[in-house]
């Protein structure tokens, strides 16, 4: 019986998954409520599209700073303080937005929310990997399923609220109230500290960061999150301005994208039984690119909306697979590696959504949305490159093991120089 228990694969405790899922659910609500409320916010402060895009940049900038600090420190100090503190900061930032009388103060609230999100996300994901390193892709996919559910509910609730003439400030105030509940489960939860050896050092971090697969996963996350935030942020405006949707319906329609992502994450567990994570990621992103082009350029509103929903199905697995493959390159310093990966993803969120706004000014949102297909293509290339590197390393290990277990060829090779020297 003891043998059977020893071979059982570990898994995170259920209450860790549920508490982490609640944070991610509220996080998803808050993130996707921004898109439907962009136009009311723009009208409140008299902004242009390019200025409006700064809301994503400020949130991502705070996220980068906090990720680079909180995630590595959680390896030393434990995960709890950063998960609790980060979720509390997220609630404070979301609450500051509807109270702000001027646009700069709205951006300050967004920056504070981004700091909180970056502070908790890396340690929370590292906590799950601590409990189940071998099944990291599976468990992180489950954890991020809660994020997808929140992202599905966010635009529906915000869209219905806008259709009922509820002010955007009240919508974000309600989100702040929900966010205030997220720290409490982790305050009282029993949580083991990460196992860190004395050898843990900057050298260990450097070794993990310079691993080719890790660098490629940083690129994947930067490109993908830039793509995801651009689509989530601008899709309601695209449907309203290009296809004539009412403001409430445009907000609700964002749920098509996130509904597709939820379906994709539920299907991922099945596909991962037959296909390795990295090849699956490369294939899915390669298929997503053409779908984005069709969904952006087609004139039929229903076909466009269905196309973006199908895009969600194909891109759903990108974040959990890239994160799990990246942190798996180094057994120690998982929090630090998660922090670098989160920071890379936030760089994409800083760079690409404002570009959509800048392109939309002269060319229109239709062209700007279509150009995001390029990000899918580059993501597929990076994932394929990583898959090739992993296979190459596995072949080297197999060849080395075969030489060790087959001493005859090695003895023959070693004997040849001796024969030459005897002559």
């Amino acid at each position: 019986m003891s043998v059977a228990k020893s071979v059982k694969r570990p898994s995170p405790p259920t209450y860790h998954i549920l508490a982490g899922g609640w944070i991610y659910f509220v996080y998803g609500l808050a993130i996707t409520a921004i898109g439907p409320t962009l136009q009311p916010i723009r009208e409140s402060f008299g902004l242009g599209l390019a200025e409006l895009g700064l809301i994503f940049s400020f949130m991502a900038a705070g996220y980068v700073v906090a990720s680079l600090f909180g995630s590595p420190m959680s390896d030393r100090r434990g995960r709890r303080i950063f998960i609790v503190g980060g979720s509390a900061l997220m609630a404070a930032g979301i609450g500051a937005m509807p109270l702000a009388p001027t646009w700069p103060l709205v951006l300050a609230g967004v920056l504070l929310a981004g700091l909180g999100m970056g502070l908790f996300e890396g340690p929370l994901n590292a906590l799950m990997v601590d409990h189940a390193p071998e099944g990291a892709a599976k468990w992180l996919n489950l954890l991020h399923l809660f994020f997808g559910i929140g992202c599905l509910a966010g635009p529906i609730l915000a869209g219905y609220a806008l259709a009922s003439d509820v002010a955007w400030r009240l919508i974000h105030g309600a989100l702040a109230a929900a966010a205030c509940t997220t720290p409490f489960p982790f305050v009282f939860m029993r949580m083991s500290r990460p196992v860190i050896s004395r050898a843990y050092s900057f050298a260990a971090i450097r070794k993990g960061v310079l691993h080719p697969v890790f660098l490629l996963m940083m690129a994947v996350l930067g490109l993908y999150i830039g793509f995801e935030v651009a689509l989530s942020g601008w899709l309601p405006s695209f449907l309203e301005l290009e296809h004539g949707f009412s403001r409430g319906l445009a907000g609700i329609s964002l749920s098509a994208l996130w509904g597709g992502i939820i379906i994709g994450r539920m299907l991922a567990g099945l596909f991962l039984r037959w296909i390795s994570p990295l090849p699956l990621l490369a294939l899915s992103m390669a298929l997503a690119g053409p779908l984005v082009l069709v969904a952006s350029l087609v004139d039929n509103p229903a076909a466009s909306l269905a196309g973006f929903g199908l895009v969600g199905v194909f891109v759903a697995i990108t974040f959990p697979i890239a994160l799990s493959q990246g942190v798996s390159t180094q057994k120690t310093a998982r929090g630090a590696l998660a922090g670098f990966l989160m920071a890379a993803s936030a760089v994409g969120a800083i760079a690409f959504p404002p570009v959509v706004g800048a392109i939309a000014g002269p060319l229109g949102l239709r062209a700007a949305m279509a150009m995001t297909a390029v990000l899918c293509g580059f993501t597929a290339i990076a994932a394929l490159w990583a898959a090739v590197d992993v296979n190459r390393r596995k072949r080297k290990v197999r060849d080395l093991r075969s030489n060790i277990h087959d001493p005859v060829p090695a003895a023959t090779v070693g004997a040849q120089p001796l024969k030459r020297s005897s002559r």
Side-chain angles (χ1 to χ4, degrees):
M1 292 181 67
S2 60
V3 174
K5 288 183 179 179
S6 65
V7 298
K8 184 179 179 181
R9 287 192 172 185
S11 61
T14 302
Y15 50 86
H16 283 58
I17 289 288
L18 293 177
W22 175 242
I23 289 183
Y24 263 118
F25 175 74
V26 176
Y27 182 16
L29 285 176
I31 288 290
T32 51
I34 292 175
T37 58
L38 275 182
Q39 294 308 310
I41 291 173
R42 180 175 67 87
E43 292 167 0
S44 294
F45 298 102
L47 306 171
L49 289 176
E51 289 177 285
L52 197 59
L54 291 175
I55 200 168
F56 304 110
S57 298
F58 271 70
M59 181 173 288
Y63 186 100
V64 169
V65 173
S67 294
L68 292 176
F69 168 75
S71 297
M73 288 299 295
S74 74
D75 285 331
R76 296 284 192 177
R77 305 295 181 186
R79 315 295 187 200
R80 185 195 311 275
I81 186 174
F82 298 98
I83 297 173
V84 172
S87 53
L89 274 180
M90 176 180 71
I94 296 170
M97 289 174 60
L99 299 176
T102 63
W103 176 239
L105 291 178
V106 171
L107 292 179
V110 168
L111 178 66
L112 186 62
L115 285 168
M117 294 166 183
L119 201 61
F120 79 73
E121 189 164 18
L124 178 57
N125 283 276
L127 176 66
M128 301 303 163
V129 179
D130 290 339
H131 285 283
E134 293 181 2
K138 171 186 174 182
W139 293 108
L140 291 184
N141 185 70
L142 176 61
L143 181 66
H144 288 269
L145 178 62
F146 288 94
F147 179 72
I149 295 171
C151 290
L152 174 66
I156 294 175
L157 296 175
Y160 273 118
L162 290 170
S164 303
D165 295 325
V166 176
W168 70 267
R169 295 182 186 273
L170 290 177
I171 294 172
H172 287 279
L175 289 170
C180 286
T181 66
T182 58
F184 292 105
F186 287 93
V187 172
F188 304 105
M189 178 186 296
R190 292 187 62 185
M191 191 184 303
S192 60
R193 291 175 62 88
V195 179
I196 304 297
S197 66
R198 290 193 174 187
Y200 174 82
S201 64
F202 286 109
I205 297 175
R206 184 172 65 249
K207 181 181 178 182
V209 168
L210 294 180
H211 194 288
V213 173
F214 180 84
L215 293 173
L216 288 166
M217 291 304 98
M218 287 183 70
V220 165
L221 286 173
L223 291 164
Y224 168 69
I225 293 299
F227 169 79
E228 180 191 281
V229 174
L231 246 61
S232 295
W234 289 106
L235 184 57
S237 297
F238 167 76
L239 295 171
E240 179 181 344
L241 300 178
E242 297 291 340
H243 286 297
F245 282 39
S246 67
R247 181 160 294 173
L249 181 59
I252 295 169
S253 297
L254 179 58
S255 62
L257 173 67
W258 285 101
I261 289 176
I262 290 174
I263 293 171
R265 286 182 177 160
M266 289 190 294
L267 293 174
L270 297 175
F271 285 109
L272 286 170
R273 295 179 182 179
W274 303 304
I275 307 176
S276 297
L278 289 172
L280 180 61
L281 174 56
L283 176 62
S284 64
M285 292 305 293
L287 293 173
L291 283 172
V292 172
L293 282 175
V294 172
S296 301
L297 300 177
V298 70
D299 288 328
N300 187 302
S304 177
L305 189 58
F308 281 114
L310 196 56
V311 168
V313 174
F314 282 98
V315 304
I317 60 171
T318 306
F319 192 94
I321 285 181
L323 183 61
S324 65
Q325 298 303 299
V327 298
S328 297
T329 58
Q330 177 63 262
K331 291 184 179 180
T332 62
R334 288 191 183 115
L337 295 185
F340 282 109
L341 289 167
M342 297 298 179
S345 69
V347 169
I350 292 172
F352 296 116
V355 171
V356 173
I359 294 173
L363 300 180
L365 270 171
R366 189 182 295 268
M369 295 288 278
M371 289 181 183
T372 61
V374 176
L375 302 180
C376 294
F378 282 123
T379 304
I381 292 170
L384 182 60
W385 190 351
V388 170
D389 184 82
V390 168
N391 286 334
R392 179 179 60 82
R393 291 172 184 272
K394 286 181 178 179
R395 283 197 302 270
K396 279 187 175 181
V397 171
R398 283 197 300 266
D399 292 343
L400 180 61
R401 287 176 178 173
S402 65
N403 288 336
I404 292 172
H405 293 294
D406 188 9
V408 176
T412 304
V413 172
Q416 289 176 357
L418 294 175
K419 287 183 179 181
R420 291 194 188 99
S421 61
S422 64
R423 292 177 183 176

